Amino acid sequence: MSKSICYGRCKRNLGRASLTFFTVCFLTSIHADYDSEMVEQRLEKLISSMTIEQKVGQMVQGNITHVTPDDVSRYFLGSVLNGGGSWPNGRKESSIYDWLDAADSYHEASLDTRYGSAGIPIIWGTDAVHGHNNVKGATLFPHNISLGATRNVDLVREIGEATAREVSVTGLDWVFAPTIAVSMDTRWGRAYESYSDDTQIVSDYASAMILGLQGKLHQLPDPGRVIATAKHFIGDGGTIRGVDQGDTRLSLEDLLRIHGHGYKKAIEANTQTVMASFNSWNGKKIHGSKQLLTDVLKTDMGFDGFVVGDWDGHGQVEGCKNTSCAQAILAGIDMFMVPKQWKKFIANTLKQVRDGEVPMSRIDDAVRRILRVKIRAGLFSKERPSKRLLAGDLAIMGSSEHRALARRAVRESLVLLKNNGGILPLRGKPKLLVGGDGADSVAKQSGGWTLSWQGNKNIPTDFPGATSIFEGLKKAVEDIGGSAELTTNDSWSDVFNPDVAVVVFGEDPYAEGVGDREDLLFCDSYSDNLRLLSRLREKGIPVVSVMLTGRPLIVNSQINQSEAFVVAWLPGSEGNGIADVLVADKYDRPRFNFTGTLPFGWPDVEMSKGNPDLPASLMLFERGYGKSYGDTENVKADLTEVACARKELKPLVIFNGTTRKPFAAYVADSADYTIPVSGASTVSPSQSLSVMTVDGDVQEDSRLVTWSSDDDRDIGGEFFWRSSSVLDWRDYLDQDAALSMTFKVIEQPEGSVVQEVDCGISCSAELNMGGFFRNVPEDQWVRSAVPLRCFVRAGADLSQVRAPLILKTRKTFSIMIKDLRLSTDLPESAIMQCD
């Protein structure tokens, strides 16, 4: 019986008491696809029949915002992904059926042989890092740091299983999880993606999550399982100062001892893919390290699946760019994540192979690994995504069973740092005041990687079926005869005299580089929270603080002001799990006890005093600390407090004679070709835009940017500076900074000129500057600054700036730029008005 027939018969008979037939059929299908000798024979047959174009296409993964189904057919792509903030049709509100329609389109296109495709099914990857977090209505489980507090390996495996089921509902095959980083410095913006700084905990959880997502290797064709990814290999949590994509400086022995053990366990659990890390090891980017990717991972560790690169990570290898990197291919990257410029990457790779720069044997090895995983996963015999078991099953997505599991995970992850006087659990018939900016915000309690990359700009209606912390507390308190009121500031109704208050506060959502910190001192950006705590103390109302955070931070002041202090981490969609532990039953007994313990030490200093490059080592509470209701010892009420001072923001220079790191200059045209600016002159492919190094005041201190067009050619183009890392400019916004440019207009613009800030997928802010530049006298130095608030009004999210300046026009215009910087100290005469 063929496997496709088998699956179809299984699906048709599931509802007719045919479990025995399904089991026999399923086991038959497993044997057919998994037998290792048969797999290898099938691989060799496939590879020997493929053209070089088909092989290179298999090695490329583009983002769905820049790849159409027709592209998949024409370029033989092996994979697509939906990066953070990418959804079918570009809509966060996309339904399950929208996801299935898109999955069907890409799958069917990969099997379409009209353009010479080998008919190899595509694989779609998604960042399901705490549940199927890109999909509206999915269950959002607590983030990894929360799970690290539970010390419950079985729970982690169950969460993996539930996540795999919900991913299967949308027809996708592959998740970029789990992150098995050992975060050694929690200033890192991805610390919450780490289970712990204990290597053993991380290793145990890595294995459990992979087994949950993927099952045992023999079970991969199970329609309720997905392909897992161990990421990010290797040392992402060990960078100096916790800088995202930074440098991990260790000997090979220490690198493997601290950061490698989780990968050994992941391979033992049969992870099928490993994602390479953005960071460097002793100054060299890991995407270009043959020693680590091939010699260590593939040879020494015995990994026989495929290595996937991270988002344009190959472009950071010395001598490489996003569109070309032979070194990363030679190093051992098998599948390249090239979200936008994948066409040029394919063209350049084909040339490198034909020129002998990349040997065909390396291409064959990469394709062999990719196809091996696809065969093991049963992709060659599965029906189209919408016809698979579980596909479109609305009862699974955000099901009561999955939400109950997530609620249990919240309960088990809570860590009690303080409970003086036994104020918890809340009992009797309390009149409960609930306040703080996190009290009624599912978005804040869910953190980053939630519906969008940074997890920001989400609103309550984005979370159907979810429960905020206030909603959970209100119901629990009312169930025992009490009452609850929500305050959104520092006041409450005159008739409501609370017995106790729960104040919920903490970090706003962030992801990756945006979350990097210089120190570990928590300074609440919401003044209403501070005023509320102060007023409650004045009134003598006991305070229970609940902190939402992706890492331990210094909150000595808040701990001092609280009778009880609970760390809730980033609990996800089931805020009622907090009420389960905080509120007693009607007999005044705890419904659930606190069982969570710290997965990281809790700091007592904001940074290492001796060497700021090192993690803070002085701890207020050690890893493993966590009180329970049986612990009656009080925490002292005079912890040393550290004042939050206004940050002194230095000017951020982007260009002054030379382009400053982490920025680089580029030109692009309507053909979607992007070229780095280098040397004395750079011209766009269409010849409509040029950038020259010229003498402004001194030798070669300026860039002359010229757009040219005529009646027959109106192509236009973009000149821009882009950062190699994501920048958070909210502190500059708070201090009313402006983007200042010193320039000469050489030839006034004939048409409109747009100045833009790029802040990620589906995020930008455009200002029409054509009239402004036309009113500037030609050939005179001018310094002018656009306040950041103007870009915010135009729609920018300054927590995730990628390109601080983009200039574009379709008509003739010429400008000489001498300086570009972000500054808070500018003369009023230089600052433009937003209108």
Side-chain angles (χ1 to χ4, degrees), residues 519 521-523 606 642-649 731 735:
D519 58 52
L521 176 61
F522 175 71
C523 296
E606 63 267 36
V642 182
C644 289
R646 182 180 173 91
K647 285 186 178 180
E648 180 182 351
L649 297 175
D731 288 335
Q735 297 191 27

Side-chain angles (χ1 to χ4, degrees), residues 805-822:
L805 176 75
I806 303 172
L807 287 176
K808 53 187 178 182
T809 181
R810 299 182 66 85
K811 296 288 186 179
T812 298
F813 177 41
S814 185
I815 184 172
M816 185 185 296
I817 301 173
K818 184 170 68 172
D819 185 274
L820 181 69
R821 66 183 61 204
L822 193 61

Side-chain angles (χ1 to χ4, degrees), residues 422-692:
I423 188 172
L424 292 177
L426 303 172
R427 48 196 178 270
K429 297 180 179 179
K431 296 176 69 176
L432 179 66
L433 180 72
V434 184
D437 69 292
D440 199 29
S441 173
V442 177
K444 182 155 183 161
Q445 73 193 40
S446 297
W449 295 109
T450 301
L451 293 178
S452 63
W453 177 37
Q454 295 292 322
N456 52 8
K457 293 189 176 181
N458 291 324
I459 58 177
T461 55
D462 290 331
F463 302 98
T467 306
S468 72
I469 294 170
F470 167 69
E471 290 169 334
L473 287 169
K474 183 175 188 295
K475 183 178 187 308
V477 167
E478 290 176 349
D479 284 348
I480 60 173
S483 58
E485 178 176 303
L486 176 69
T487 178
T488 56
N489 47 43
D490 62 340
S491 63
W492 51 90
S493 60
D494 294 335
V495 296
F496 192 78
N497 297 309
D499 302 315
V500 63
V502 173
V503 180
V504 188
F505 62 93
E507 293 189 293
D508 288 329
Y510 57 82
E512 296 192 59
V514 172
D516 284 0
R517 298 179 60 101
E518 294 180 4
D519 58 52
L520 296 175
L521 176 61
F522 175 71
C523 296
D524 200 332
S525 59
Y526 293 87
S527 55
D528 282 342
N529 293 346
L530 304 176
R531 286 193 291 267
L532 176 60
L533 280 171
S534 178
R535 186 170 181 220
L536 290 168
R537 300 306 292 171
E538 290 174 4
K539 297 290 184 180
I541 298 170
V543 172
V544 175
S545 285
V546 176
M547 186 176 186
L548 302 172
T549 182
R551 59 191 138 203
L553 293 168
I554 297 177
V555 283
N556 289 7
S557 175
Q558 288 87 344
I559 294 176
N560 284 340
Q561 295 180 73
S562 309
E563 276 65 40
F565 196 95
V566 177
V567 183
W569 311 109
L570 298 172
S573 59
E574 308 313 301
N576 42 16
I578 293 169
D580 288 344
V581 184
L582 267 58
V583 180
D585 65 15
K586 61 182 179 181
Y587 302 108
D588 292 344
R589 299 174 303 199
R591 293 184 294 161
F592 296 92
N593 203 346
F594 283 94
T595 58
T597 59
L598 293 176
F600 297 86
W602 197 275
D604 201 24
V605 289
E606 63 267 36
M607 66 172 62
S608 174
K609 300 300 183 183
N611 184 351
D613 286 348
L614 299 178
S617 57
L618 185 60
M619 296 296 158
L620 181 63
F621 304 105
E622 296 295 333
R623 184 205 309 131
Y625 177 88
K627 297 172 71 69
S628 68
Y629 284 137
D631 185 351
T632 58
E633 182 180 355
N634 286 343
V635 173
K636 64 179 183 178
D638 57 347
L639 301 176
T640 302
E641 297 185 12
V642 182
C644 289
R646 182 180 173 91
K647 285 186 178 180
E648 180 182 351
L649 297 175
K650 297 179 181 179
L652 176 62
V653 178
I654 299 165
F655 174 79
N656 179 256
T658 60
T659 297
R660 307 297 180 87
K661 290 183 178 180
F663 300 98
Y666 298 87
V667 293
D669 62 19
S670 57
D672 199 29
Y673 287 107
T674 301
I675 297 181
V677 172
S678 62
S681 178
T682 303
V683 181
S684 68
S686 64
Q687 307 293 307
S688 63
L689 172 59
S690 67
V691 180
M692 297 180 62

Side-chain angles (χ1 to χ4, degrees), residues 4 14 118 131 136 139 210 271 288-289 329 523 531 545 569 572 691:
S4 59
L14 267 178
K136 185 173 181 178
T139 307
I210 289 167
T271 187
S289 175
I329 301 173
C523 296
R531 286 193 291 267
S545 285
W569 311 109
V691 180

Side-chain angles (χ1 to χ4, degrees), residues 124-137:
W124 181 333
T126 189
D127 287 291
V129 297
H130 66 129
H132 199 6
N133 48 262
N134 289 290
V135 178
K136 185 173 181 178

Side-chain angles (χ1 to χ4, degrees), residues 7 14 54 89 229 273 355 359 412 487 493 542 571 578 597 644 726:
Y7 267 141
L14 267 178
Q54 292 168 348
N89 309 315
T229 307
T273 68
D355 290 348
E412 295 188 23
T487 178
S493 60
I578 293 169
T597 59
C644 289
V726 179

